[in-house]
């Protein structure tokens, strides 16, 4: 039985009866309220004005952090004359190793790259799958690369696995078999790559720039590859290239990281001691750059304003290159040119970027580059712009070249350029692989072995007053000019833009970079 409190029940009932009329009233339709009359205007005090925000200037950069490039030690295997360079860095138990062969695309633009790509496709002792399995099992890596001057096979492993890694890369360079099935696959990939290159305005502009800037037949100015060139590559050609260049006294080994010379010698002897050498030094292939002397380079200097124009009707914009032959990497003026190029177009603080992009809005990005070479490399400005702005872009570029020739940089420009170069250097030598790359730079370009020990001192020794002189010497007033874009839209703009400079000749090309 449920008990009920009578008094509570009565109070609830009474409250319900009282609230009923209110609830019913709330159910009536509401009438639209009449708008209230506008209030009389009241004088208001002016809103307080917030003071403009004050942004403090960023702190000035401090003095460069001391960076000590490691000592470069070396030894040579007595039997086969393989030179070995050791750079110690014991911070972490990693070692980077690079076998470098003095053979690159300058020796053969087609066979050098394909030979390098085929090194990891199998050897007399191991199939590709076995090589991949062994290096992956220890968490390491192997890569094969062909550059202009050299071919190198690199690996990075824990110190405890260095013997295995050296065994694998030694096997690749000493005993490749160039399997036909893998070669056919790589040739098909190369042909696909050719089609992509023709669609790339960047590739067309850079390739034609090299072809025009260098003497005909020069390794730095090679024409684009064709399918016929790829079809000529076969197993016998690869074996012939390998036999011609891949010898121990035409190569060297770089070991960088947690390794000492005492530890390296027995490992190298065991893994690379059987590599065959050329019997005589005279048998080592000659550098193909030796065929070109100063007169050959001088003959390519333009004497009249000439634009080499690639007609690419589908282009939405014009790809632009402006520059000239400059200096070899080992030239003593290199640091000065590096600073001058940084001031002109070394990034978002360069003159070209600040004016042509930020002020004039002619491009998304515009930069300078000084290319490294055993022979003279190039200075170039590279950018892209809307088709209808091509003439304005060329005018703006020449204004800045003229300014580099006539005006000293400001103190701020000079200081920022030097600080940027010097400040970036420590980031370039953080890992054993980066340090090995710097050693390869030293050996490739014939630099002093202590070059990177004093690199920042060389940059800091450049003076502001030298920049104008260096610019006049290495940034020519009559440069090589290449444009890739809609020829019928671009040519009238060029004629107008160069009218005040005595006119311009236009040389036309198709997308195969053949003159038309």
């Amino acid at each position: 039985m449920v008990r009920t409190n009578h008094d509570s029940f009565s109070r609830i009932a009474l409250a319900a009866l009282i609230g009923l009329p209110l609830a019913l009233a709330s159910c009536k339709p509401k009438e639209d309220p009449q708008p209230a009359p506008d209030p009389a205007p009241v004088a208001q005090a002016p809103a307080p004005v917030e003071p403009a925000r004050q942004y403090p200037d960023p702190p000035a950069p401090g003095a460069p952090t001391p960076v000590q490039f490691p000592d470069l030690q070396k030894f040579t295997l007595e039997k086969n004359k393989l030179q070995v360079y050791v750079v110690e860095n014991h911070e972490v138990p990693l070692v980077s190793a690079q076998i470098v062969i003095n053979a690159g695309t300058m020796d053969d633009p087609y066979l050098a790259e394909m030979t390098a790509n085929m090194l990891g496709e199998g050897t007399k002792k191991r199939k590709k799958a076995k090589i991949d399995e062994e290096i992956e099992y220890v968490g390491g890596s192997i890569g094969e690369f062909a550059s202009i001057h050299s071919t190198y096979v690199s690996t990075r492993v824990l110190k405890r696995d260095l013997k295995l890694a050296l065994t694998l890369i030694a096997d690749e360079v000493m005993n490749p078999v160039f399997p036909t099935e893998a070669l056919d696959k790589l040739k098909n990939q190369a042909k696909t790559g050719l089609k992509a290159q023709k669609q790339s305005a960047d590739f067309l502009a850079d390739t034609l720039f090299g072809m025009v800037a260098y003497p005909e037949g020069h390794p730095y100015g090679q024409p684009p590859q064709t399918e016929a060139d790829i079809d000529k590559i076969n197993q016998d050609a690869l074996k012939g290239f390998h036999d011609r260049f891949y010898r121990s006294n035409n190569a060297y080994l770089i070991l960088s990281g947690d390794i000492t010379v005492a530890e390296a010698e027995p490992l190298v002897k065991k893994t690379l001691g059987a590599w065959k050498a050329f019997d005589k030094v005279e048998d080592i292939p000659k550098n193909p750059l030796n065929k070109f002397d100063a007169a050959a380079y001088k003959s390519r200097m333009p004497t009249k304003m000439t634009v080499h124009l690639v007609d690419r009707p589908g282009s939405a914009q014009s790809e632009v290159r402006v520059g000239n032959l400059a200096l070899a990497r080992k030239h003593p003026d290199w640091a000065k040119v590096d600073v001058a190029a940084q001031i002109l177009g070394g990034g978002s603080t360069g003159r070209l970027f600040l004016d042509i992009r930020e002020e004039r809005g002619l491009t998304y990005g515009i930069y300078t580059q000084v290319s490294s070479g055993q022979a003279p490399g190039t200075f170039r400005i590279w950018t892209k712009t809307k088709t209808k702005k091509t003439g304005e872009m060329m005018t703006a570029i020449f204004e800045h070249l003229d300014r580099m020739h006539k005006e000293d940089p400001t103190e701020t420009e000079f200081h920022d350029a030097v600080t940027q170069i010097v400040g970036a250097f420590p980031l370039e030598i953080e890992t054993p692989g980066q340090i090995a790359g710097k050693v390869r730079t030293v050996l490739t370009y014939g630099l002093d072995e202590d070059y990177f020990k004093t690199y920042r001192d060389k940059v800091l020794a450049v003076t502001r007053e030298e920049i104008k002189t260096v610019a006049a010497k290495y940034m020519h007033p009559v440069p090589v000019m290449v444009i890739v874009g809609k020829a019928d839209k671009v040519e009238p703009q060029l004629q107008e833009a160069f009218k005040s400079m005595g006119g311009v000749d236009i040389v036309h090309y198709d997308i195969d970079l053949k003159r038309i």
Side-chain angles (χ1 to χ4, degrees):
M1 180 176 177
V2 179
R3 291 175 180 249
T4 302
N5 186 300
H6 182 74
D7 291 340
S8 298
F9 179 83
S10 299
R11 286 194 294 270
I12 294 171
L14 180 61
L17 291 174
I18 293 172
L20 182 60
L22 297 175
L24 293 174
S26 67
C27 295
K28 287 185 178 181
K30 295 181 179 178
E31 297 180 0
D32 292 335
Q34 294 298 316
D38 292 336
V42 178
Q44 296 183 356
V49 178
E50 293 186 10
R53 291 189 178 183
Q54 299 294 323
Y55 295 97
D57 291 333
T65 305
V67 175
Q68 183 62 42
F69 193 82
D71 291 329
L72 183 60
Q73 306 172 75
K74 62 181 178 180
F75 63 89
T76 302
L77 295 189
E78 184 177 353
K79 182 178 179 182
N80 63 7
K81 306 307 179 187
L82 175 68
Q83 294 182 316
V84 183
Y85 297 85
V86 178
V87 185
E88 294 186 34
N89 183 343
H90 302 288
E91 292 182 4
V92 292
L94 289 173
V95 181
S96 173
Q98 294 184 8
I99 297 177
V100 185
I101 298 95
N102 294 318
T105 57
M106 69 178 185
D107 298 288
D108 191 299
Y110 317 122
L111 292 178
E113 187 169 6
M114 193 64 75
T115 301
N117 292 340
M118 287 291 292
L119 294 177
E121 295 294 331
T123 71
K124 295 174 183 177
K125 298 180 179 180
R126 297 172 177 84
K127 293 186 178 297
K128 172 180 171 55
K130 182 63 174 176
I131 296 173
D132 294 343
E133 178 187 350
E134 290 193 49
I135 195 65
E136 289 173 7
Y137 182 77
V138 297
S141 62
I142 293 177
E144 304 85 8
F145 310 92
S147 64
I148 293 177
H149 304 99
S150 60
T151 297
Y152 58 100
V153 181
S154 66
T155 183
R156 187 187 68 167
V157 289
L158 291 170
K159 178 178 181 176
R160 68 189 183 198
D161 301 312
L162 181 58
K163 180 180 178 181
L164 169 66
L166 287 177
T167 299
L168 295 177
I169 62 175
D171 195 21
E172 285 193 11
V173 299
M174 292 165 58
N175 307 305
V177 293
F178 308 114
T180 303
E181 183 178 347
L183 176 58
D184 291 341
K185 180 181 177 181
L186 289 177
K187 287 170 67 173
N188 288 332
Q189 290 175 354
K191 290 180 179 180
T192 301
L194 291 184
K195 296 175 183 177
Q197 287 174 348
K198 284 187 178 182
Q199 301 303 315
S200 168
D202 275 323
F203 171 82
L204 295 174
D206 288 333
T207 302
L208 183 57
F209 184 89
M211 291 169 59
V212 175
Y214 285 98
E216 186 174 357
H218 195 282
Y220 292 177
Q222 296 163 352
Q225 201 173 24
T226 66
E227 289 198 6
D229 296 324
I230 296 172
D231 286 335
K232 292 177 185 177
I233 300 174
N234 56 38
Q235 195 177 51
D236 288 339
L238 295 179
K239 288 180 178 178
F241 186 85
H242 181 269
D243 290 343
R244 184 183 173 200
F245 290 100
Y246 282 61
R247 301 292 183 92
S248 58
N249 52 352
N250 191 42
Y252 54 89
L253 173 67
I254 303 170
L255 296 172
S256 173
D258 190 15
I259 186 75
T260 65
V261 169
E263 293 169 326
E265 283 199 67
L267 284 177
V268 176
K269 286 179 182 177
K270 184 173 183 62
T271 55
L272 285 156
W275 196 2
K276 291 183 179 180
F278 287 108
D279 294 332
K280 298 178 292 184
V281 174
E282 294 78 16
D283 294 335
I284 298 175
K286 301 297 185 291
N287 190 322
L289 296 172
N290 295 343
K291 295 184 295 183
F292 301 89
D293 58 14
Y297 294 114
K298 188 175 181 180
S299 70
R300 300 299 285 186
M301 301 294 186
T303 56
K304 188 180 187 303
M305 293 293 185
T306 305
V307 172
H308 299 266
L309 179 57
V310 180
D311 187 23
R312 190 169 177 266
S315 291
Q317 53 193 345
S318 295
E319 196 77 34
V320 177
R321 302 290 184 273
V322 176
N324 50 262
L325 293 179
L327 72 173
R329 180 64 180 84
K330 68 182 296 183
H331 196 287
D333 283 344
W334 181 266
K336 300 174 187 178
V337 175
D338 200 11
V339 175
Q342 184 75 26
I343 290 169
L344 178 60
S348 59
T349 59
R351 288 179 177 179
L352 295 173
F353 194 96
L354 291 174
D355 177 36
I356 296 178
R357 173 192 152 132
E358 296 295 299
E359 295 297 326
R360 307 193 200 195
L362 295 178
T363 185
Y364 182 76
I366 180 166
Y367 308 95
T368 56
Q369 179 188 41
V370 185
S371 62
S372 299
Q374 294 175 349
T378 59
F379 157 78
R380 72 180 74 180
I381 297 168
W382 60 275
T383 188
K384 59 187 68 179
T385 189
K386 292 179 180 178
T387 300
K388 64 182 181 180
K389 298 292 185 179
T390 306
E392 289 183 50
M393 172 62 78
M394 299 304 288
T395 299
I397 287 173
F398 274 86
E399 287 175 2
H400 280 281
L401 285 174
D402 187 59
R403 186 181 167 204
M404 288 294 294
H405 297 157
K406 294 179 178 178
E407 298 178 14
D408 289 327
T410 66
E411 288 281 3
T412 299
E413 286 178 321
F414 179 74
H415 176 268
D416 288 349
V418 170
T419 300
Q420 195 160 351
I421 295 171
V422 170
F425 180 68
L427 303 178
E428 300 171 4
I429 56 171
E430 289 186 318
T431 68
Q434 288 176 313
I435 292 173
K438 293 296 186 188
V439 174
R440 194 173 70 250
T441 295
V442 166
L443 299 174
T444 297
Y445 300 114
L447 305 175
D448 294 336
E449 290 187 0
D450 66 347
Y451 179 85
F452 286 110
K453 277 182 170 293
T454 59
Y455 171 75
R456 297 203 296 181
D457 295 333
K458 295 179 179 69
V459 175
L460 291 169
V462 178
T463 66
R464 186 167 69 95
E465 292 72 25
E466 291 175 308
I467 299 303
K468 187 168 62 176
T469 302
V470 166
K473 187 175 181 180
Y474 297 109
M475 301 177 183
H476 297 176
V478 183
V480 173
M481 293 177 280
V482 171
I483 297 176
V484 179
K486 296 178 180 177
D488 60 334
K489 303 292 184 183
V490 169
E491 185 167 356
Q493 298 179 57
L494 297 176
Q495 298 293 358
E496 182 64 27
F498 285 94
K499 189 180 295 182
S500 63
M501 289 182 267
V504 64
D505 289 339
I506 309 290
V507 182
H508 293 270
Y509 300 79
D510 60 21
I511 60 171
D512 293 317
L513 302 186
K514 304 292 185 183
R515 288 196 180 197
I516 53 178

